[in-house]
Each structure stands twice: as C-alpha cells, then as structure tokens.
Amino acid sequence: MTHSAKPFDHPRIKVVGSFHELLTTPFANGVNALCWPRVLTGNFAEVVELLGTGEGIVSLDEKLLRNLPLSEAGRLAVEVMLEDQRLLREQDLDPEINCIHGYPREETPGPVATDVMSFHVDSATAEADTWLCTYHGAPSEGLPNEEACMRTEIPETRAELQRLYGGRDDEDFRDYLAENCYDLHYAPLPHAKPYSFGVGNLWRIATDWPGSPVPPCIHRAPETRSGDAVRLLLIS
C-alpha cells in the first residue's frame, strides 16, 4: 500500500476553511470526512518532553497542562489544544486531550483484530460524529470506502468466525459479529491508498449510526512501536 500523494483530493473528503464551516457542513453526496487544514503555532514537542515518560494512554487536563514549566512556545501549544477543546465543549461534546505512549493490544487476537490500529469505523446508536486532531507524533490514517472490504465478508475470515461462534450463518451469528465489533473492521484492498490525516489538521468524520446519509469514514490510529514519538491527540 502507498499513501495518496494528495491526501485531500478524494471525493469522500471535503476541505473547509474554518471551525464554523467544519461544524455546519453536512455530510452529503458521499462525503464522510471533513478537514480543516491548519499550520499550528507552538512547541508541542516541548509539552511532550515535560510530560515525561509513561505508558498507555494518559488523559491531560487543563490544570496539568498549565502547570508545566513551559517556554512561551510551549505555552502557545497548550493554548492551541485547550482552545480546540473549548470549541468542542461549547457544542456539548466531551473532547479529551490524550498523551499516547502506546495503544493496548489484544492479548488473544482472533481472526479479526478489534484494536484502534485496525482500519475501522466508529458506531453510535444516534446521530454522532468523531472529531480528532493530532498535535504531535504520527497522525491517524483514513481509507476510502471503495478501497476496503469488511473483514467479516472475507470468506476465510467469516468461516473462522463462524467456527468460533459454533452455529449457523444466520441472524444470531450476525448479532454475534456486531456484539464483538467484528463488523466494524475493514481490510484494505490490494490497490488501496490510505491517506494521512496530517498533523495539526482538525477533522470531523462520519460514524455508523441508523439513518446516516453517508457511509462511515474508515480510519485507524498509527501503529505504536518502541522508540516512536509520543502522540498528542484531541478526540471526541
């Protein structure tokens, strides 16, 4: 797989020029990913350095960030993150700023990996979107729907899942797939060209909810390996 040279030139992606436009542009005509491209000011690497070592995913609150002994450039980076969080909270959302040292992996992986590093869609029982921005470290990746297939539709994978389920390929089996989130995960097709969400860009992407006018956006978190840069991520 190779990444597309122009990450935002796919008909499923629409580029906007402001937070207001990002918030108010409807998902329609197949567009399921909205991006507000930004070049951010501030030293986010300094924030990461002062946060120190750790493991897993650490949620950062305003008090902790403001108490870091930062330079002016570091304080600018903190203000950028807190302002993004404020904008989303004003929309009755619950955004988190996370410092990600590594993502948990499944201890006993089955035929379908269900961690966030697998291409997947987010789901909800009512209308909802996912918002995210990477400030430091490797960004998320997206995958056009036409360049992916559901892992549960791959014959060998489905057969293995059915063997684990121990029953027929019927409605109960489909409920089993949904209950275990297997039906939210996708495999890239051989010609697939994932695109990078980039650093600093604020995204709003479509989720899988009843009545959604567009297919959900397929995406994944970057692989986390020892020695990789720590990730600063806003997600809601």
Side-chain angles (χ1 to χ4, degrees):
M1 290 185 298
T2 59
H3 286 82
S4 53
K6 294 182 179 181
F8 311 138
D9 64 355
H10 194 276
R12 292 208 177 273
I13 306 168
K14 181 176 176 63
V15 174
V16 299
S18 67
F19 179 79
H20 177 75
E21 194 178 354
L22 188 63
L23 176 68
T24 58
T25 300
F27 290 122
N29 302 317
V31 171
N32 62 10
L34 302 171
C35 175
W36 178 22
R38 307 183 300 178
V39 178
L40 302 179
T41 57
N43 190 340
F44 295 90
E46 182 188 358
V47 176
V48 167
E49 183 179 355
L50 288 175
L51 287 169
T53 58
E55 59 182 33
I57 301 172
V58 179
S59 183
L60 307 177
D61 61 28
E62 181 174 354
K63 182 179 179 181
L64 184 154
L65 288 169
R66 289 197 187 280
N67 284 339
L68 293 174
L70 294 160
S71 68
E72 181 61 27
R75 285 195 292 273
L76 280 173
V78 164
E79 292 305 322
V80 166
M81 293 188 287
L82 293 177
E83 175 64 8
D84 283 347
Q85 188 176 51
R86 183 189 68 79
L87 288 170
L88 295 184
R89 282 177 173 169
E90 286 183 350
Q91 307 306 318
D92 293 325
L93 299 173
D94 189 22
E96 289 187 359
I97 300 172
N98 290 328
C99 180
I100 301 168
H101 300 274
Y103 288 106
R105 290 188 177 273
E106 295 169 271
E107 292 183 10
T108 54
V112 175
T114 55
D115 58 52
V116 294
M117 291 170 286
S118 162
F119 277 116
H120 65 281
V121 300
D122 298 331
S123 67
T125 55
E127 183 173 2
D129 309 322
T130 295
W131 296 72
L132 67 167
C133 175
T134 302
Y135 302 104
H136 184 271
S140 302
E141 289 183 311
L143 185 64
N145 300 68
E146 298 77 11
E147 300 177 13
C149 64
M150 290 179 67
R151 290 194 178 273
T152 56
E153 297 302 317
I154 300 171
E156 305 93 300
T157 304
R158 195 175 187 89
E160 179 63 13
L161 288 167
Q162 195 173 343
R163 185 188 68 78
L164 292 172
Y165 170 66
R168 294 180 298 179
D169 193 340
D170 54 13
E171 187 172 341
D172 288 340
F173 176 60
R174 289 186 284 277
D175 289 342
Y176 162 80
L177 297 180
E179 287 165 6
N180 289 279
C181 299
Y182 294 138
D183 59 349
L184 299 180
H185 289 261
Y186 289 74
L189 297 174
H191 65 281
K193 293 182 179 179
Y195 58 90
S196 173
F197 280 31
V199 173
N201 305 326
L202 184 59
W203 289 77
R204 176 179 148 230
I205 61 175
T207 65
D208 184 14
W209 57 274
S212 173
V214 296
C217 178
I218 302 170
H219 62 289
R220 71 175 175 188
E223 292 271 351
T224 52
R225 294 175 293 268
S226 176
D228 285 352
V230 172
R231 234 183 144 205
L232 283 179
L233 177 75
L234 174 84
I235 187 160
S236 176

